Amino acid sequence: MNRLFKSAAMACVAAFGLGVAPAMAEYPEKPVEMVVPYAPGGSTDVLARKFAQYAEKYLGKPMVVVNKPGAGGQLGFTAISTAKADGYTIGWINSGIITNAITRPDVKFSVDTYDMVANLVTDPGVLSVTGDSGINTLEEFIAAAKKEKLTVSHEGVGGDDFLAVLQLEQAAGIELNKVAFNGDAEAKAALLGGHINAIEGNVSEQVEMASEGGLKPLVVWSKKTAADMPDVPTGAALGYNILSAASRGIAGPKGMEPEALEKLREVATKVANDPEFIEDLKKLNMPMDVMIGDEYLTFMKEQDKAYRDLWEKNPWM
């Protein structure tokens, strides 16, 4: 009996040795670290924590938010781009990965150093005047700007609103007086006080005042009509190839494990379709704009090309 038992045991060992391998563990085996390139409490951080809350039930493991602020997002962007590509470190990106790569060629990230998971929020740029300005369309605004130099607000050189104004100047052949303000509230006060002629900002910042008649939006810098401003024409519809938006999406380092990338995209899709998540983002005044995988990559590459073309003709720094 002992000999028979030994023979059977040796046969089993031999079988495993000939290629019968144990099954691989299914991703994820542990919590996923989600990098936020900004300090706690900001809009990206709020969105990240809300997403993590819902993602856990679809992922099966927690998503742990790790804030890595500094250098206008560069520290966090770098941490995501250079992480191990096993699916356990992902993070939030925006157009900063594009503008920083253009103005700072020494940074270790660009559109091409990430695998795109999903975009969740896009807040399109919008150019507005006061409700009683007498200007009713973008073409009327351009015509007025050709007669006299108009003043337009933005929130900082290199930001999405600043670059939208720069692109408009180039496309329309006008020159505007671009003035930076510390936030949307300050810019609105200056506009209503007659100190500037127009404000360039984002839809979420202007929709309430526009609905009340205090602001008159002239154009939304998007290919798609803004859900919160359905009657405002897009730049594309008016013949202007200008894209400007504050987008917030999730990416991982280039070359991620296919199983992990597929799972993360699946989780993002499920979260984005969760009715409670959708309602939470409405309460947070965050316009959902879901783009998964390649669609998100195409969107980012379009922005990258537009900003690089702009930089070549009119460097902003």
Side-chain angles (χ1 to χ4, degrees), residues 47-202:
L47 175 60
R49 293 178 189 278
K50 185 62 66 176
F51 179 85
Q53 173 189 331
Y54 284 87
E56 183 171 350
K57 67 179 177 179
Y58 299 115
L59 186 65
K61 294 289 182 182
M63 279 194 171
V64 181
V65 175
V66 178
N67 297 89
K68 293 189 178 181
Q74 288 183 31
L75 296 184
F77 297 147
T78 300
I80 301 164
S81 178
T82 58
K84 188 176 180 181
D86 58 4
Y88 290 101
T89 300
I90 59 174
W92 291 82
I93 61 170
N94 55 38
S95 60
I97 69 167
I98 297 171
T99 54
N100 276 290
I102 292 172
T103 61
R104 293 280 309 278
D106 58 316
V107 299
K108 296 180 179 179
F109 55 81
S110 69
V111 170
D112 296 320
T113 63
Y114 299 94
D115 275 337
M116 303 300 173
V117 176
N119 187 76
L120 271 296
V121 168
T122 302
D123 198 355
V126 57
L127 177 70
S128 296
V129 293
T130 59
D132 59 0
S133 69
I135 295 175
N136 297 298
T137 66
L138 178 62
E139 292 307 324
E140 289 180 5
F141 177 85
I142 292 170
K146 288 181 176 179
K147 293 179 182 177
E148 62 176 312
K149 196 171 185 178
L150 302 181
T151 300
V152 182
S153 74
H154 64 88
E155 293 185 14
V157 174
D160 58 281
D161 46 359
F162 174 83
L163 296 178
V165 176
L166 213 59
Q167 290 178 85
L168 176 60
E169 286 182 315
Q170 183 174 296
I174 58 177
E175 186 177 353
L176 300 165
N177 183 29
K178 300 176 286 295
V179 179
F181 286 87
N182 294 317
D184 174 68
E186 188 178 296
K188 286 176 183 172
L191 178 68
L192 296 178
H195 305 294
I196 60 176
N197 303 106
I199 59 172
E200 176 67 42
N202 296 104

Side-chain angles (χ1 to χ4, degrees), residues 10-11 67 73 117 142 204 211 259 269 272 284 293 297:
M10 290 177 68
N67 297 89
V117 176
I142 292 170
S204 67
S211 66
E259 180 191 358
T269 301
L284 291 169
L297 177 61

Side-chain angles (χ1 to χ4, degrees), residues 233-270:
T234 65
L238 296 176
Y240 291 90
N241 186 28
I242 298 173
L243 294 176
S244 176
S247 65
R248 302 184 187 100
I250 303 168
K254 193 72 176 178
M256 285 177 62
E257 294 288 344
E259 180 191 358
L261 184 57
E262 183 181 350
K263 181 68 174 180
L264 289 166
R265 288 173 174 173
E266 177 188 308
V267 168
T269 301
K270 289 179 178 178

